[in-house]
Amino acid sequence: MPRTTDTRKRLLDATAELFRRQGYTGTGLKQIVGHGAAPWGSLYHFFPGGKEQLAAEAIERSGRRYQRLLQMVLAGADPPSGIRDFFRLSAQALEASGYADGCPIATVALETANRTDTLRQACANVFQSWLATIIVALTDWGVQPAQAGQLATHALATYEGATLLSRTLRTTSPLTASGELTAQAVAAAPRQPPANT
Amino acid sequence: MPRTTDTRKRLLDATAELFRRQGYTGTGLKQIVGHGAAPWGSLYHFFPGGKEQLAAEAIERSGRRYQRLLQMVLAGADPPSGIRDFFRLSAQALEASGYADGCPIATVALETANRTDTLRQACANVFQSWLATIIVALTDWGVQPAQAGQLATHALATYEGATLLSRTLRTTSPLTASGELTAQAVAAAPRQPPANT
Amino acid sequence: MPRTTDTRKRLLDATAELFRRQGYTGTGLKQIVGHGAAPWGSLYHFFPGGKEQLAAEAIERSGRRYQRLLQMVLAGADPPSGIRDFFRLSAQALEASGYADGCPIATVALETANRTDTLRQACANVFQSWLATIIVALTDWGVQPAQAGQLATHALATYEGATLLSRTLRTTSPLTASGELTAQAVAAAPRQPPANT
Amino acid sequence: MPRTTDTRKRLLDATAELFRRQGYTGTGLKQIVGHGAAPWGSLYHFFPGGKEQLAAEAIERSGRRYQRLLQMVLAGADPPSGIRDFFRLSAQALEASGYADGCPIATVALETANRTDTLRQACANVFQSWLATIIVALTDWGVQPAQAGQLATHALATYEGATLLSRTLRTTSPLTASGELTAQAVAAAPRQPPANT
DNA sequence: ACGGTCGGGACAGCCCGTTGAT
DNA sequence: ATCAACGGGCTGTCCCGACCGT
């Protein structure tokens, strides 16, 4: 069973990358197998559920990967700084990629929100996992759970929207501006003294 | 000949409505003419540029319409309250439509950000017009122009992202939470006394 | 209106010819458009119902054509001789075509008998029309209606089965043998003296 | 290793059953292994010749089985009554199965008559074996060999065609009508007194 | 011998966005 | 101002090897 080649993963990675830039309907299966260097027959071997199953797993996968990135950045500093860093990092990556690599699932999320419930749910799960990650960072820092939920939602929403604007306007200013303001909002949150540690 | 305009507008309206829910690639021309009650041949008569031209004009049109809505809401109160109202109104409309009617161009904006520059530009123009509207409201209220730009961008980004999250998670809480926090951020903005008026 | 090219008819003729030799599932749409010299896009223009609609109309068309042939042969002599002639003619045509051109709809009828009811019904209508033609010939000749129905059914069944056997065994003997015996059965049918006329 | 035979037979039985209802091209290998509860790998182990070999053996197998049934029915009475019984029995079975279970190989025979000679030959062999069975019954009964061949061919052809019509028209009347007339034709055949035995 | 995973094109039927002629 | 007509592209499934595990 280590005999399983990495074809399946290559397929998922190619799918995730193309979805990030072109969305769900804009990406054809032909393009995926072409980009991911996988043969046609393999696709329906690994994903008998077709495009939808492939998409669901790709979403899940890139969601986890992005979550790890988020955790890393948040672990590097206190939440306000971490959030600011995350926005800044995203701005850099976005610009470096020619404004192509934004949130890996935002486009798919919007496209599928009212089409296929399976994919909508997959995107929802990803967003929930990101929110949970932020909430943990905030509560660890002393923010009250009730407040932390709202703040995390706000931060994520702002990040998504700022990325959207940055991609469309082709300028990083929305990401930097919103990063700063979101960091301030977090910094202003009432919190009980973080014990000590 | 002003009667020909009718078909043209019906076509644009149908396009805008379908784009809002299904995005660009997810909407077929057949579906548009079916939904908009226009004959097939008319489409390429009014829009010789094909789907792209039709999309560009539809984006522009729904952008203007949404801008008027924004202006109305902002004119009804001071900016913090106006922004809060706009988020709340959007949340209601979103929920009432089964989480289908969010920002009319967000999906298209993400889909086309790195595909066709014509449509990206059309979306960018719409966003710019919305930003200008917010900026006017803020500066009229006494916010410094430099600050107003950042605040407007932040508010719009947050609105877009909150809508995205609300649609995917099927709950209005992102819109309400972010509306409140955004209103607070605006309220906290330093401003010079509004002259008098 | 003479402006409609004959593409539609060519499509139907090609379909009928291929169905006769290869059946329904064995014939691809690609093959049809290739064989019938029609462009791909035309197919779904003329037959929006897809393969099924195309098949239904092709069945109907070749059914009518075959009915006219049957009428002609039966009109040429009294029923026993006419039936014998029809079997003999079919045997000749079958052999001349390399045992390819048998009953134009038999294969499709068997394939679709328990799959798609639309096509089954189309085949049933064709068979009914052939039966009606035979019955008319028999009653005109003086056979009692009740008897005529049974005899016609028997003759048609025998023709179908004999064609099947001839094609599979690659010999015309089933058609000639059954033609003779069927003619005898018809000749032996009690009939009231054909008035005179 | 007589246990291996089990899988092989299940495969053949599933194939035969599906072919009877859907024909050759209409039946996929996936469906066969699904229906016959056999693993994928086994298929090409037992039938390295692929679908064609599997089909040939399935045809042969169901041909033999049907031959035994025919023998049994013919052995139960004199040929005219036996033939009438066989038609009647078939009519009952056909109706009971929702007009699905007709001749087990007729559809395949028509489909493959001009496609793959291997399968055409397999079907031809089956028909020959059935004819031989009928001929034996007839000659045992005293019909001259030359006449017996023609009569048997006629009876089989009529049976096949009547089944076809019954399936398509969804009524057993063709089978019952033709059964009666065929029995009469056999009864009318000149024969030398059956010796005695 | 037998079972199974994985890989490999070819092609299925369907629908897309577009255009020439009217 | 309209529509018949057009190719190309979509997703999905076909039947089939090769290479592993027993």
Side-chain angles (χ1 to χ4, degrees), chain C residues 49-65:
Chain C
K51 193 182 188 182
E52 196 166 310
Q53 184 192 349
L54 174 60
E57 296 197 24
I59 289 166
E60 197 184 351
R61 185 174 167 83
S62 50
R64 266 201 303 269
R65 183 170 301 182

Side-chain angles (χ1 to χ4, degrees), chain C residues 2-47:
Chain C
R3 134 152 223 296
T4 79
T5 56
D6 58 343
T7 300
R8 188 185 163 90
K9 283 181 183 168
R10 284 209 318 277
L11 232 21
L12 285 174
D13 285 339
T15 303
E17 184 179 342
L18 290 168
F19 276 8
R20 180 184 223 178
R21 309 192 171 197
Q22 309 176 343
Y24 179 73
T25 50
T27 302
L29 295 184
K30 290 241 163 79
Q31 195 181 2
I32 292 175
V33 301
H35 190 271
W40 242 109
S42 305
L43 208 156
Y44 276 82
H45 170 65
F46 289 114
F47 305 96

Side-chain angles (χ1 to χ4, degrees), chain C:
Chain C
M1 52 301 307
R3 134 152 223 296
T4 79
T5 56
D6 58 343
T7 300
R8 188 185 163 90
K9 283 181 183 168
R10 284 209 318 277
L11 232 21
L12 285 174
D13 285 339
T15 303
E17 184 179 342
L18 290 168
F19 276 8
R20 180 184 223 178
R21 309 192 171 197
Q22 309 176 343
Y24 179 73
T25 50
T27 302
L29 295 184
K30 290 241 163 79
Q31 195 181 2
I32 292 175
V33 301
H35 190 271
W40 242 109
S42 305
L43 208 156
Y44 276 82
H45 170 65
F46 289 114
F47 305 96
K51 193 182 188 182
E52 196 166 310
Q53 184 192 349
L54 174 60
E57 296 197 24
I59 289 166
E60 197 184 351
R61 185 174 167 83
S62 50
R64 266 201 303 269
R65 183 170 301 182
Y66 223 59
Q67 188 194 14
R68 281 196 291 271
L69 174 64
L70 182 60
Q71 277 173 331
M72 267 180 45
V73 176
L74 288 180
D78 56 66
S81 302
I83 286 175
R84 196 175 359 236
D85 289 347
F86 192 78
F87 274 75
R88 191 149 42 203
L89 227 72
S90 295
Q92 287 171 4
L94 189 58
E95 193 177 18
S97 66
Y99 294 95
D101 290 345
C103 169
I105 69 162
T107 310
V108 180
L110 275 179
E111 283 180 290
T112 62
N114 289 87
R115 310 293 297 274
T116 58
D117 205 64
T118 305
L119 297 184
R120 200 217 87 229
Q121 192 61 41
C123 293
N125 292 338
V126 168
F127 285 141
Q128 295 285 16
S129 76
W130 296 352
L131 289 176
T133 299
I134 303 173
I135 288 173
V136 165
L138 290 176
T139 50
D140 281 355
W141 190 54
V143 179
Q144 302 285 7
Q147 287 264 349
Q150 281 206 3
L151 268 181
T153 302
H154 178 64
L156 180 53
T158 303
Y159 167 74
E160 292 293 344
T163 304
L164 193 165
L165 284 186
S166 287
R167 290 188 67 187
T168 300
L169 300 176
R170 291 206 162 244
T171 163
T172 56
S173 61
L175 273 170
T176 50
S178 282
E180 182 55 37
L181 287 171
T182 307
Q184 288 177 15
V186 171
R191 59 192 179 104
Q192 66 185 36
N196 53 347
T197 312

Side-chain angles (χ1 to χ4, degrees), chain D residues 4 7 39 41-42 45-46:
Chain D
T4 71
T7 297
S42 306
H45 171 68
F46 290 114

Side-chain angles (χ1 to χ4, degrees), chain A:
Chain A
M1 78 293 293
R3 143 151 215 297
T4 80
T5 57
D6 58 343
T7 300
R8 189 186 163 90
K9 284 180 183 168
R10 284 209 317 277
L11 233 21
L12 285 173
D13 285 339
T15 303
E17 185 179 341
L18 290 168
F19 277 7
R20 181 183 222 178
R21 308 192 172 197
Q22 309 177 341
Y24 180 73
T25 48
T27 303
L29 293 185
K30 285 246 165 74
Q31 194 182 4
I32 291 175
V33 301
H35 191 269
W40 242 107
S42 303
L43 205 158
Y44 277 82
H45 171 67
F46 289 111
F47 305 95
K51 193 181 189 182
E52 194 165 312
Q53 184 191 350
L54 174 59
E57 295 196 25
I59 289 166
E60 197 184 351
R61 185 174 166 83
S62 51
R64 267 201 301 271
R65 184 171 301 181
Y66 223 59
Q67 187 193 17
R68 281 196 291 271
L69 174 64
L70 182 60
Q71 277 175 330
M72 267 181 46
V73 175
L74 288 180
D78 57 67
S81 303
I83 285 175
R84 192 168 8 227
D85 289 348
F86 192 79
F87 274 76
R88 189 147 44 201
L89 227 73
S90 295
Q92 287 170 6
L94 189 58
E95 192 177 17
S97 66
Y99 294 94
D101 289 345
C103 170
I105 68 162
T107 310
V108 180
L110 275 179
E111 282 179 290
T112 62
N114 289 87
R115 311 293 299 273
T116 59
D117 204 65
T118 305
L119 298 183
R120 200 218 88 230
Q121 191 60 35
C123 293
N125 291 338
V126 168
F127 285 141
Q128 294 285 16
S129 77
W130 295 353
L131 289 175
T133 299
I134 304 173
I135 289 174
V136 165
L138 290 175
T139 50
D140 281 356
W141 189 55
V143 179
Q144 301 286 7
Q147 287 265 348
Q150 281 206 2
L151 269 180
T153 301
H154 178 63
L156 180 54
T158 304
Y159 166 74
E160 292 293 344
T163 303
L164 194 164
L165 284 186
S166 288
R167 290 188 67 187
T168 299
L169 301 175
R170 291 207 160 241
T171 161
T172 56
S173 61
L175 272 170
T176 52
S178 281
E180 182 55 36
L181 287 171
T182 306
Q184 287 178 16
V186 171
R191 58 192 179 104
Q192 65 185 41
N196 53 350
T197 312

Side-chain angles (χ1 to χ4, degrees), chain B residues 27-30 40 44 51:
Chain B
T27 302
L29 293 185
K30 287 237 166 77
W40 243 108
Y44 276 82
K51 192 181 189 183

